[in-house]
Amino acid sequence: MGKRELNKAMTTLFERASALRIVLASPATSSAETGYAEAVLACAGDLLAAGEPGVALELADLALNHETTHSQEASRTLALLRAKALRLTGRLDEALSDIKQLNATVRHGETPRDFLAELRIVEASCLWRLNQVDAAILALKRVREELLGG
């Protein structure tokens, strides 16, 4: 991808984020607005991949605090995305706090295994960056065991 195409892609991504900010800044008006979580997840995920965790964090916060009713899965995924964005912005203690809250609310028999693995991987990444290497390795070994065992 050339520089021009990259600039265009980033501009489009920021335009998507801006449009979602406008929608999420306004009060909920109908049940049709419940689909915004998926749009936020897609855009914020793209922002994380593009190296823009601050904007992704802002979108996740707006979506989580918006008046619309999200599905349990969407709320859970938004919270994980928020933790990833916090980690990437260097707010590691906040990310670990969010992960701890998320861990307390998930039902391990009902929550998809890949979600739980991703949650633990983000947690291990935070621990690693906080120089808690032994705890990070232990968490990653647990992920490996769960993925190979199930």
Side-chain angles (χ1 to χ4, degrees), residues 18-98:
S18 180
L20 285 167
R21 272 192 211 105
I22 291 167
V23 169
L24 293 171
S26 63
T29 57
S30 73
S31 61
E33 290 185 358
T34 58
Y36 290 136
E38 289 76 20
V40 170
L41 286 169
C43 185
D46 291 346
L47 286 162
L48 287 178
E52 294 291 339
V55 182
L57 178 60
E58 179 186 353
L59 279 180
D61 284 341
L62 283 170
L64 286 167
N65 294 321
H66 197 255
E67 298 171 4
T68 59
T69 305
H70 306 299
S71 70
Q72 184 178 14
E73 180 182 351
S75 293
R76 187 174 53 221
T77 306
L78 280 166
L80 177 58
L81 188 139
R82 183 179 192 281
K84 288 179 184 180
L86 285 167
R87 178 184 63 83
L88 291 170
T89 58
R91 295 162 60 183
L92 304 173
D93 291 327
E94 285 180 74
L96 284 172
S97 176
D98 280 12

